[in-house]
PDB file of all heavy atoms in Angstrom:
ATOM      1  N   THR X   1      -2.908   0.715  -5.802  1.00 76.00           N
ATOM      2  CA  THR X   1      -1.500   1.014  -5.501  1.00 76.00           C
ATOM      3  C   THR X   1      -0.848   1.902  -6.541  1.00 76.00           C
ATOM      4  O   THR X   1       0.365   2.110  -6.511  1.00 76.00           O
ATOM      5  CB  THR X   1      -0.700  -0.297  -5.386  1.00 76.00           C
ATOM      6  OG1 THR X   1      -0.853  -1.053  -6.586  1.00 76.00           O
ATOM      7  CG2 THR X   1      -1.197  -1.127  -4.208  1.00 76.00           C
ATOM      8  N   GLU X   2      -1.635   2.440  -7.469  1.00 75.00           N
ATOM      9  CA  GLU X   2      -1.076   3.268  -8.538  1.00 75.00           C
ATOM     10  C   GLU X   2      -0.855   4.692  -8.051  1.00 75.00           C
ATOM     11  O   GLU X   2      -1.763   5.354  -7.544  1.00 75.00           O
ATOM     12  CB  GLU X   2      -2.037   3.279  -9.736  1.00 75.00           C
ATOM     13  CG  GLU X   2      -1.518   4.099 -10.916  1.00 75.00           C
ATOM     14  CD  GLU X   2      -2.524   4.126 -12.054  1.00 75.00           C
ATOM     15  OE1 GLU X   2      -3.586   3.485 -11.915  1.00 75.00           O
ATOM     16  OE2 GLU X   2      -2.260   4.801 -13.061  1.00 75.00           O
ATOM     17  N   THR X   3       0.383   5.177  -8.168  1.00 71.00           N
ATOM     18  CA  THR X   3       0.722   6.546  -7.787  1.00 71.00           C
ATOM     19  C   THR X   3       2.076   6.908  -8.394  1.00 71.00           C
ATOM     20  O   THR X   3       2.910   6.031  -8.651  1.00 71.00           O
ATOM     21  CB  THR X   3       0.777   6.708  -6.251  1.00 71.00           C
ATOM     22  OG1 THR X   3       1.133   8.060  -5.939  1.00 71.00           O
ATOM     23  CG2 THR X   3       1.789   5.769  -5.634  1.00 71.00           C
ATOM     24  N   HIS X   4       2.297   8.204  -8.598  1.00 69.00           N
ATOM     25  CA  HIS X   4       3.579   8.661  -9.149  1.00 69.00           C
ATOM     26  C   HIS X   4       4.634   8.786  -8.056  1.00 69.00           C
ATOM     27  O   HIS X   4       5.832   8.803  -8.363  1.00 69.00           O
ATOM     28  CB  HIS X   4       3.386  10.019  -9.850  1.00 69.00           C
ATOM     29  CG  HIS X   4       2.444   9.948 -11.013  1.00 69.00           C
ATOM     30  ND1 HIS X   4       2.729   9.237 -12.166  1.00 69.00           N
ATOM     31  CD2 HIS X   4       1.202  10.492 -11.192  1.00 69.00           C
ATOM     32  CE1 HIS X   4       1.726   9.352 -13.018  1.00 69.00           C
ATOM     33  NE2 HIS X   4       0.781  10.107 -12.455  1.00 69.00           N
ATOM     34  N   ASP X   5       4.208   8.911  -6.819  1.00 65.00           N
ATOM     35  CA  ASP X   5       5.136   9.019  -5.693  1.00 65.00           C
ATOM     36  C   ASP X   5       5.496   7.612  -5.209  1.00 65.00           C
ATOM     37  O   ASP X   5       4.650   6.888  -4.693  1.00 65.00           O
ATOM     38  CB  ASP X   5       4.482   9.823  -4.553  1.00 65.00           C
ATOM     39  CG  ASP X   5       5.479  10.140  -3.449  1.00 65.00           C
ATOM     40  OD1 ASP X   5       6.574   9.530  -3.425  1.00 65.00           O
ATOM     41  OD2 ASP X   5       5.149  10.993  -2.602  1.00 65.00           O
ATOM     42  N   ARG X   6       6.764   7.219  -5.389  1.00 63.00           N
ATOM     43  CA  ARG X   6       7.169   5.865  -5.021  1.00 63.00           C
ATOM     44  C   ARG X   6       7.076   5.634  -3.523  1.00 63.00           C
ATOM     45  O   ARG X   6       6.811   4.524  -3.066  1.00 63.00           O
ATOM     46  CB  ARG X   6       8.600   5.590  -5.514  1.00 63.00           C
ATOM     47  CG  ARG X   6       8.712   5.473  -7.029  1.00 63.00           C
ATOM     48  CD  ARG X   6      10.164   5.321  -7.445  1.00 63.00           C
ATOM     49  NE  ARG X   6      10.266   5.156  -8.896  1.00 63.00           N
ATOM     50  CZ  ARG X   6      10.360   3.984  -9.508  1.00 63.00           C
ATOM     51  NH1 ARG X   6      10.354   2.876  -8.806  1.00 63.00           N
ATOM     52  NH2 ARG X   6      10.466   3.924 -10.818  1.00 63.00           N
ATOM     53  N   ARG X   7       7.348   6.678  -2.725  1.00 61.00           N
ATOM     54  CA  ARG X   7       7.219   6.535  -1.268  1.00 61.00           C
ATOM     55  C   ARG X   7       5.766   6.258  -0.879  1.00 61.00           C
ATOM     56  O   ARG X   7       5.485   5.409  -0.047  1.00 61.00           O
ATOM     57  CB  ARG X   7       7.709   7.805  -0.573  1.00 61.00           C
ATOM     58  CG  ARG X   7       9.209   8.019  -0.658  1.00 61.00           C
ATOM     59  CD  ARG X   7       9.568   9.326   0.036  1.00 61.00           C
ATOM     60  NE  ARG X   7      11.000   9.547   0.046  1.00 61.00           N
ATOM     61  CZ  ARG X   7      11.571  10.658   0.493  1.00 61.00           C
ATOM     62  NH1 ARG X   7      10.819  11.636   0.947  1.00 61.00           N
ATOM     63  NH2 ARG X   7      12.874  10.783   0.481  1.00 61.00           N
ATOM     64  N   MET X   8       4.879   7.021  -1.500  1.00 67.00           N
ATOM     65  CA  MET X   8       3.463   6.821  -1.227  1.00 67.00           C
ATOM     66  C   MET X   8       3.019   5.430  -1.668  1.00 67.00           C
ATOM     67  O   MET X   8       2.173   4.797  -1.016  1.00 67.00           O
ATOM     68  CB  MET X   8       2.636   7.890  -1.949  1.00 67.00           C
ATOM     69  CG  MET X   8       1.158   7.889  -1.564  1.00 67.00           C
ATOM     70  SD  MET X   8       0.928   8.272   0.186  1.00 67.00           S
ATOM     71  CE  MET X   8      -0.835   7.969   0.345  1.00 67.00           C
ATOM     72  N   GLN X   9       3.610   4.927  -2.742  1.00 70.00           N
ATOM     73  CA  GLN X   9       3.261   3.591  -3.206  1.00 70.00           C
ATOM     74  C   GLN X   9       3.673   2.537  -2.188  1.00 70.00           C
ATOM     75  O   GLN X   9       2.936   1.575  -1.945  1.00 70.00           O
ATOM     76  CB  GLN X   9       3.940   3.311  -4.542  1.00 70.00           C
ATOM     77  CG  GLN X   9       3.457   2.025  -5.204  1.00 70.00           C
ATOM     78  CD  GLN X   9       4.039   1.842  -6.587  1.00 70.00           C
ATOM     79  OE1 GLN X   9       5.233   2.062  -6.791  1.00 70.00           O
ATOM     80  NE2 GLN X   9       3.194   1.466  -7.542  1.00 70.00           N
ATOM     81  N   LEU X  10       4.821   2.734  -1.563  1.00 67.00           N
ATOM     82  CA  LEU X  10       5.263   1.815  -0.526  1.00 67.00           C
ATOM     83  C   LEU X  10       4.305   1.855   0.660  1.00 67.00           C
ATOM     84  O   LEU X  10       3.976   0.821   1.265  1.00 67.00           O
ATOM     85  CB  LEU X  10       6.683   2.182  -0.085  1.00 67.00           C
ATOM     86  CG  LEU X  10       7.471   1.124   0.690  1.00 67.00           C
ATOM     87  CD1 LEU X  10       7.568  -0.172  -0.091  1.00 67.00           C
ATOM     88  CD2 LEU X  10       8.862   1.650   1.032  1.00 67.00           C
ATOM     89  N   MET X  11       3.831   3.061   0.987  1.00 69.00           N
ATOM     90  CA  MET X  11       2.837   3.196   2.060  1.00 69.00           C
ATOM     91  C   MET X  11       1.543   2.457   1.702  1.00 69.00           C
ATOM     92  O   MET X  11       0.917   1.828   2.547  1.00 69.00           O
ATOM     93  CB  MET X  11       2.534   4.672   2.305  1.00 69.00           C
ATOM     94  CG  MET X  11       3.642   5.443   2.989  1.00 69.00           C
ATOM     95  SD  MET X  11       3.748   5.068   4.747  1.00 69.00           S
ATOM     96  CE  MET X  11       2.203   5.722   5.310  1.00 69.00           C
ATOM     97  N   LEU X  12       1.148   2.543   0.443  1.00 75.00           N
ATOM     98  CA  LEU X  12      -0.074   1.867   0.006  1.00 75.00           C
ATOM     99  C   LEU X  12       0.074   0.348   0.087  1.00 75.00           C
ATOM    100  O   LEU X  12      -0.873  -0.356   0.449  1.00 75.00           O
ATOM    101  CB  LEU X  12      -0.421   2.295  -1.427  1.00 75.00           C
ATOM    102  CG  LEU X  12      -0.858   3.753  -1.610  1.00 75.00           C
ATOM    103  CD1 LEU X  12      -0.984   4.094  -3.086  1.00 75.00           C
ATOM    104  CD2 LEU X  12      -2.167   4.022  -0.882  1.00 75.00           C
ATOM    105  N   TYR X  13       1.265  -0.155  -0.243  1.00 76.00           N
ATOM    106  CA  TYR X  13       1.510  -1.595  -0.121  1.00 76.00           C
ATOM    107  C   TYR X  13       1.389  -2.050   1.338  1.00 76.00           C
ATOM    108  O   TYR X  13       0.775  -3.077   1.637  1.00 76.00           O
ATOM    109  CB  TYR X  13       2.904  -1.942  -0.653  1.00 76.00           C
ATOM    110  CG  TYR X  13       3.014  -1.978  -2.151  1.00 76.00           C
ATOM    111  CD1 TYR X  13       4.139  -1.480  -2.803  1.00 76.00           C
ATOM    112  CD2 TYR X  13       1.994  -2.518  -2.939  1.00 76.00           C
ATOM    113  CE1 TYR X  13       4.246  -1.504  -4.190  1.00 76.00           C
ATOM    114  CE2 TYR X  13       2.091  -2.544  -4.318  1.00 76.00           C
ATOM    115  CZ  TYR X  13       3.214  -2.034  -4.940  1.00 76.00           C
ATOM    116  OH  TYR X  13       3.308  -2.063  -6.305  1.00 76.00           O
ATOM    117  N   VAL X  14       1.973  -1.261   2.242  1.00 71.00           N
ATOM    118  CA  VAL X  14       1.906  -1.605   3.671  1.00 71.00           C
ATOM    119  C   VAL X  14       0.465  -1.532   4.163  1.00 71.00           C
ATOM    120  O   VAL X  14       0.006  -2.379   4.937  1.00 71.00           O
ATOM    121  CB  VAL X  14       2.819  -0.661   4.487  1.00 71.00           C
ATOM    122  CG1 VAL X  14       2.646  -0.908   5.979  1.00 71.00           C
ATOM    123  CG2 VAL X  14       4.275  -0.856   4.107  1.00 71.00           C
ATOM    124  N   SER X  15      -0.278  -0.515   3.715  1.00 75.00           N
ATOM    125  CA  SER X  15      -1.685  -0.390   4.098  1.00 75.00           C
ATOM    126  C   SER X  15      -2.504  -1.579   3.599  1.00 75.00           C
ATOM    127  O   SER X  15      -3.386  -2.090   4.310  1.00 75.00           O
ATOM    128  CB  SER X  15      -2.255   0.920   3.540  1.00 75.00           C
ATOM    129  OG  SER X  15      -3.633   1.024   3.805  1.00 75.00           O
ATOM    130  N   PHE X  16      -2.209  -2.021   2.371  1.00 81.00           N
ATOM    131  CA  PHE X  16      -2.917  -3.177   1.815  1.00 81.00           C
ATOM    132  C   PHE X  16      -2.609  -4.433   2.634  1.00 81.00           C
ATOM    133  O   PHE X  16      -3.500  -5.251   2.904  1.00 81.00           O
ATOM    134  CB  PHE X  16      -2.504  -3.381   0.356  1.00 81.00           C
ATOM    135  CG  PHE X  16      -3.352  -4.380  -0.383  1.00 81.00           C
ATOM    136  CD1 PHE X  16      -4.532  -3.990  -0.997  1.00 81.00           C
ATOM    137  CD2 PHE X  16      -2.981  -5.714  -0.442  1.00 81.00           C
ATOM    138  CE1 PHE X  16      -5.322  -4.900  -1.668  1.00 81.00           C
ATOM    139  CE2 PHE X  16      -3.760  -6.643  -1.118  1.00 81.00           C
ATOM    140  CZ  PHE X  16      -4.938  -6.235  -1.729  1.00 81.00           C
ATOM    141  N   ALA X  17      -1.343  -4.590   3.044  1.00 78.00           N
ATOM    142  CA  ALA X  17      -0.968  -5.742   3.880  1.00 78.00           C
ATOM    143  C   ALA X  17      -1.675  -5.695   5.229  1.00 78.00           C
ATOM    144  O   ALA X  17      -2.129  -6.724   5.753  1.00 78.00           O
ATOM    145  CB  ALA X  17       0.543  -5.760   4.079  1.00 78.00           C
ATOM    146  N   ASN X  18      -1.814  -4.491   5.780  1.00 77.00           N
ATOM    147  CA  ASN X  18      -2.514  -4.346   7.061  1.00 77.00           C
ATOM    148  C   ASN X  18      -3.975  -4.745   6.931  1.00 77.00           C
ATOM    149  O   ASN X  18      -4.536  -5.436   7.789  1.00 77.00           O
ATOM    150  CB  ASN X  18      -2.401  -2.894   7.537  1.00 77.00           C
ATOM    151  CG  ASN X  18      -3.002  -2.689   8.910  1.00 77.00           C
ATOM    152  OD1 ASN X  18      -3.023  -3.601   9.730  1.00 77.00           O
ATOM    153  ND2 ASN X  18      -3.493  -1.496   9.165  1.00 77.00           N
ATOM    154  N   THR X  19      -4.609  -4.325   5.842  1.00 84.00           N
ATOM    155  CA  THR X  19      -6.006  -4.696   5.608  1.00 84.00           C
ATOM    156  C   THR X  19      -6.143  -6.201   5.379  1.00 84.00           C
ATOM    157  O   THR X  19      -7.140  -6.809   5.791  1.00 84.00           O
ATOM    158  CB  THR X  19      -6.557  -3.927   4.399  1.00 84.00           C
ATOM    159  OG1 THR X  19      -6.374  -2.525   4.601  1.00 84.00           O
ATOM    160  CG2 THR X  19      -8.043  -4.204   4.209  1.00 84.00           C
ATOM    161  N   ALA X  20      -5.140  -6.809   4.757  1.00 85.00           N
ATOM    162  CA  ALA X  20      -5.166  -8.257   4.555  1.00 85.00           C
ATOM    163  C   ALA X  20      -5.133  -9.000   5.890  1.00 85.00           C
ATOM    164  O   ALA X  20      -5.820 -10.024   6.064  1.00 85.00           O
ATOM    165  CB  ALA X  20      -3.979  -8.683   3.685  1.00 85.00           C
ATOM    166  N   ILE X  21      -4.370  -8.472   6.855  1.00 82.00           N
ATOM    167  CA  ILE X  21      -4.340  -9.092   8.185  1.00 82.00           C
ATOM    168  C   ILE X  21      -5.688  -8.914   8.884  1.00 82.00           C
ATOM    169  O   ILE X  21      -6.189  -9.825   9.548  1.00 82.00           O
ATOM    170  CB  ILE X  21      -3.199  -8.492   9.027  1.00 82.00           C
ATOM    171  CG1 ILE X  21      -1.846  -8.900   8.433  1.00 82.00           C
ATOM    172  CG2 ILE X  21      -3.286  -8.943  10.476  1.00 82.00           C
ATOM    173  CD1 ILE X  21      -0.662  -8.286   9.126  1.00 82.00           C
ATOM    174  N   LYS X  22      -6.287  -7.737   8.728  1.00 84.00           N
ATOM    175  CA  LYS X  22      -7.630  -7.523   9.281  1.00 84.00           C
ATOM    176  C   LYS X  22      -8.621  -8.506   8.658  1.00 84.00           C
ATOM    177  O   LYS X  22      -9.497  -9.045   9.351  1.00 84.00           O
ATOM    178  CB  LYS X  22      -8.097  -6.092   9.013  1.00 84.00           C
ATOM    179  CG  LYS X  22      -7.363  -5.020   9.790  1.00 84.00           C
ATOM    180  CD  LYS X  22      -7.902  -3.646   9.407  1.00 84.00           C
ATOM    181  CE  LYS X  22      -7.119  -2.534  10.062  1.00 84.00           C
ATOM    182  NZ  LYS X  22      -7.572  -1.199   9.618  1.00 84.00           N
ATOM    183  N   TYR X  23      -8.476  -8.719   7.361  1.00 88.00           N
ATOM    184  CA  TYR X  23      -9.358  -9.647   6.658  1.00 88.00           C
ATOM    185  C   TYR X  23      -9.216 -11.061   7.232  1.00 88.00           C
ATOM    186  O   TYR X  23     -10.220 -11.749   7.472  1.00 88.00           O
ATOM    187  CB  TYR X  23      -9.011  -9.624   5.168  1.00 88.00           C
ATOM    188  CG  TYR X  23      -9.643 -10.730   4.349  1.00 88.00           C
ATOM    189  CD1 TYR X  23     -10.997 -10.689   4.027  1.00 88.00           C
ATOM    190  CD2 TYR X  23      -8.887 -11.818   3.905  1.00 88.00           C
ATOM    191  CE1 TYR X  23     -11.583 -11.695   3.278  1.00 88.00           C
ATOM    192  CE2 TYR X  23      -9.465 -12.825   3.158  1.00 88.00           C
ATOM    193  CZ  TYR X  23     -10.808 -12.769   2.848  1.00 88.00           C
ATOM    194  OH  TYR X  23     -11.392 -13.774   2.118  1.00 88.00           O
ATOM    195  N   ALA X  24      -7.973 -11.506   7.450  1.00 86.00           N
ATOM    196  CA  ALA X  24      -7.748 -12.832   8.040  1.00 86.00           C
ATOM    197  C   ALA X  24      -8.330 -12.898   9.452  1.00 86.00           C
ATOM    198  O   ALA X  24      -8.911 -13.920   9.850  1.00 86.00           O
ATOM    199  CB  ALA X  24      -6.250 -13.145   8.058  1.00 86.00           C
TER     200      ALA X  24
END
């Protein structure tokens, strides 16, 4: 989730949450 673009970081958080749901 490391990035200088805060918007992109928010996108990465959402992507990580989506992968967590896939994992479940």
